[in-house]
């Protein structure tokens, strides 16, 4: 082990000598697992307890543009990959103040300390041929015991496309919601100013913009939920108020044109503990699905039942689903309305079961038609 008493402002600075690292490489090269590393499609390296590279697969060599590890053997990951901050301190990668915020170093140290798998995202600033560039990486680290020695298998995923997509999504949703919402607000303001003979047309335009804004909000919310970015806000709600609100607002939705939305006379008010935004989205999705399945001049019914410890929200229409459709309801991207659809029933199940901790189901039989329902716990 090198004993030059190098200083550090982050992780331990000590290293093994190159000869010692070469001995470790020989030992790992003979291990049966090493022969399979090249089959792994992601860049992979093996570190020793001093965070030095002692082994790699071909995918890692490919991202470095080299054919052999010899020139990088014994280096630390940041040094091998050209991190801008790898040589700020004499002790190298992992020892500067900049390294304290490095996701790759955090993942490695967590794995070492806890002797368990660790994962962190890493924003790496690299310099190559006098040019700087940024890399967005996700680093996975797992402990590996070989002949009573501890090593750490590091796999690296390039998430640049994922990060760029998320940024574009945020910009898209922000800008398009502002534009659509602004247009709707303008129409609402001008409605009383237009001639009487034009008001029916204005109502249709208003309904279309309302539907557009709601669809954008739905897609934005679903994306946040799937990415686990949504934070629940559980409050006590009056169930019948939600039913009345959805029925009132969605009578002007484009899907409701020429159709009726009724509220069951047997509906009962039930107090529930839930997230207002998500529960409203669930009820709205049930309503939209029912409207889409209903012919012009038809009707749907919304209801709320007291079901023991739960409130049971339901939406019914007269159409019966074929058996083949029943078997695939709630699957993501399955739809009877064409390709690239099918998020409605999927989101009902996702929101109700994964976030609201409720129950979802449906019936579709003659002569009652189709009824989708969700059960939400009552407020205590």
């Amino acid at each position: 082990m090198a004993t030059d008493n190098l200083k550090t402002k982050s992780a331990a600075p000590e290293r093994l000598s190159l000869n010692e690292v070469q001995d470790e490489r020989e030992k790992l090269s003979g291990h049966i697992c090493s022969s399979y590393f090249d089959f792994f499609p992601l860049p992979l390296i093996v570190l020793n307890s001093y965070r030095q590279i002692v082994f790699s697969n071909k995918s890692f060599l490919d991202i470095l543009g080299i054919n052999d590890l010899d020139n990088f053997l014994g280096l630390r990951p940041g040094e091998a990959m050209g991190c801008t901050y790898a040589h700020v301190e004499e002790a190298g990668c992992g020892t500067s103040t900049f390294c304290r915020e490095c996701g790759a170093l955090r993942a490695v140290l967590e794995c070492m300390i806890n002797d368990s798998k660790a994962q962190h995202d890493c924003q790496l600033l690299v310099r190559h041929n006098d040019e700087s560039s940024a890399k967005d990486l996700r680093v996975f680290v797992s402990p590996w015991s070989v002949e009573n020695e501890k090593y750490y298998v590091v796999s690296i995923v390039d998430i640049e496309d994922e990060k760029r997509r998320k940024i574009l999504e945020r910009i898209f949703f922000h800008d398009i919601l502002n534009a659509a919402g602004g247009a709707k607000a303008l129409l609402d303001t001008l409605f009383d100013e237009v001639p009487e003979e034009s008001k029916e047309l204005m109502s249709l335009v208003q309904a279309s913009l309302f539907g557009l804004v709601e669809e954008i909000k739905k897609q934005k919310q679903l994306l946040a939920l799937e990415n686990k970015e949504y934070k629940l806000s559980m409050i006590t709600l009056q169930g019948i108020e939600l039913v009345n609100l959805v029925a009132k607002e969605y009578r002007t939705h484009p899907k409701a044109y020429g159709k009726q939305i009724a509220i069951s006379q047997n509906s009962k008010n039930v107090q529930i503990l839930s997230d207002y935004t998500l529960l409203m989205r669930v009820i709205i999705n049930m309503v939209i699905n029912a409207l889409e399945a209903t012919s012009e001049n038809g009707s749907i019914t919304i209801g709320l039942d007291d079901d023991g410890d739960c409130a049971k929200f339901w939406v019914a229409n007269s159409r019966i689903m074929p058996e083949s459709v029943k078997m695939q309801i709630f699957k993501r991207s399955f739809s009877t309305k064409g390709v690239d659809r099918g998020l409605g029933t999927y989101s009902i199940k996702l929101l109700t079961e994964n976030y609201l901790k409720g129950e979802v189901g449906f019936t579709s039989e003659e002569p009652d038609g189709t009824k989708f329902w969700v059960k939400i716990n009552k407020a205590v």
Side-chain angles (χ1 to χ4, degrees):
M1 183 189 302
T3 56
D4 27 9
N5 295 319
L6 294 174
K7 296 181 180 180
T8 181
K9 296 177 181 176
S10 184
E14 292 82 10
R15 304 175 185 246
L16 295 184
S17 67
L18 181 58
N19 286 338
E20 289 172 308
V21 172
Q22 288 173 333
D23 290 340
E24 289 188 312
R25 181 187 184 185
E26 289 298 319
K27 178 170 64 176
L28 295 182
S29 297
H31 195 283
I32 188 171
C33 289
S34 301
S35 61
Y36 294 104
F37 285 161
D38 279 338
F39 292 102
F40 195 62
L42 299 177
L44 179 150
I45 54 178
V46 178
L47 306 182
N48 62 18
S49 295
Y50 301 93
R51 309 188 312 283
Q52 294 170 274
I53 299 173
V54 295
F55 200 85
S56 81
N57 68 350
K58 188 176 184 305
S59 292
F60 182 76
L61 299 181
D62 288 343
I63 68 170
L64 297 182
I66 60 175
N67 297 318
D68 190 88
L69 186 63
D70 285 348
N71 292 336
F72 294 91
L73 194 66
L75 297 185
R76 288 173 175 154
E79 296 158 359
M81 298 182 71
C83 174
T84 300
Y85 306 113
H87 299 288
V88 170
E89 295 291 334
E90 187 180 356
C93 171
T95 62
S96 75
T97 53
F98 299 100
C99 301
R100 295 173 185 174
E101 303 301 320
C102 175
L105 180 63
R106 286 183 179 180
V108 171
L109 294 179
E110 283 182 18
C111 182
M112 288 179 171
I113 293 169
N114 300 323
D115 196 28
S116 62
K117 295 180 180 178
Q119 168 190 332
H120 276 285
D121 288 355
C122 172
Q123 291 75 46
L124 191 67
L125 189 62
V126 300
R127 189 161 184 81
H128 183 66
N129 293 333
D130 293 326
E131 291 186 359
S132 295
S133 61
K135 294 183 179 294
D136 288 296
L137 308 173
R138 183 160 294 144
V139 180
F140 301 85
V141 189
S142 297
W144 181 29
S145 296
V146 179
E147 297 181 11
N148 297 320
E149 293 288 338
K150 188 71 73 174
Y151 296 93
Y152 303 91
V153 180
V154 180
S155 53
I156 304 166
V157 180
D158 188 329
I159 57 171
E160 181 178 354
D161 289 345
E162 177 186 325
K163 292 285 188 180
R164 183 183 291 114
R165 190 191 73 242
K166 285 187 175 181
I167 292 171
L168 291 175
E169 284 168 352
R170 290 191 188 99
I171 294 171
F172 169 78
F173 282 123
H174 177 270
D175 290 352
I176 200 169
L177 267 175
N178 280 349
K184 182 180 180 300
L186 180 61
L187 278 177
D188 291 342
T189 302
L190 295 176
F191 185 80
D192 292 332
E193 305 298 325
V194 300
E196 195 65 35
E197 60 271 18
S198 301
K199 286 193 174 180
E200 183 178 356
L201 179 60
M202 282 284 286
S203 295
L204 291 176
V205 177
Q206 280 181 311
S208 295
L209 277 173
F210 171 71
L212 174 62
V213 171
E214 286 302 302
E215 186 63 27
I216 296 168
K217 288 180 179 177
K218 180 176 73 175
Q219 297 300 327
K220 180 183 179 182
Q221 192 175 68
L222 181 59
L223 194 63
L225 289 164
E226 289 191 315
N227 292 335
K228 302 187 184 303
E229 296 171 350
Y230 185 87
K231 296 187 182 300
L232 286 172
S233 178
M234 306 295 280
I235 59 175
T236 300
L237 301 167
Q238 304 295 329
I240 197 65
E241 291 181 3
L242 305 186
V243 170
N244 290 331
L245 182 59
V246 171
K248 178 182 178 181
E249 289 193 354
Y250 277 77
R251 288 189 177 109
T252 61
H253 192 279
K255 300 291 184 184
Y257 184 76
K259 304 169 188 178
Q260 299 293 320
I261 299 178
I263 298 175
S264 171
Q265 293 182 350
N266 295 323
S267 294
K268 299 178 181 179
N269 185 37
V270 185
Q271 281 193 340
I272 52 177
L273 183 66
S274 192
D275 181 289
Y276 172 82
T277 302
L278 294 194
L279 183 54
M280 282 290 284
R281 180 57 58 196
V282 168
I283 300 170
I284 287 167
N285 282 348
M286 291 196 295
V287 167
I288 295 297
N289 284 341
L291 288 171
E292 289 179 335
T294 300
S295 303
E296 192 170 346
N297 299 319
S299 66
I300 70 169
T301 304
I302 311 175
L304 174 60
D305 298 338
D306 189 327
D307 194 53
D309 293 332
C310 300
K312 183 178 181 180
F313 295 87
W314 55 267
V315 179
N317 69 89
S318 60
R319 182 169 292 184
I320 305 299
M321 291 186 288
E323 286 299 319
S324 59
V325 174
K326 293 180 189 179
M327 296 301 104
Q328 300 186 76
I329 286 295
F330 301 126
K331 288 184 178 179
R332 192 180 195 276
S333 299
F334 170 75
S335 175
T336 60
K337 308 175 190 74
V339 296
D340 300 325
R341 299 288 299 277
L343 294 177
T345 58
Y346 164 72
S347 64
I348 292 170
K349 190 173 183 67
L350 174 76
L351 271 57
T352 303
E353 295 184 352
N354 289 12
Y355 292 89
L356 303 180
K357 305 308 176 186
E359 185 181 349
V360 58
F362 73 94
T363 57
S364 187
E365 304 289 346
E366 295 285 4
D368 299 324
T370 297
K371 178 189 285 188
F372 278 86
W373 53 264
V374 295
K375 292 182 181 180
I376 304 296
N377 288 331
K378 289 181 179 178
V380 179

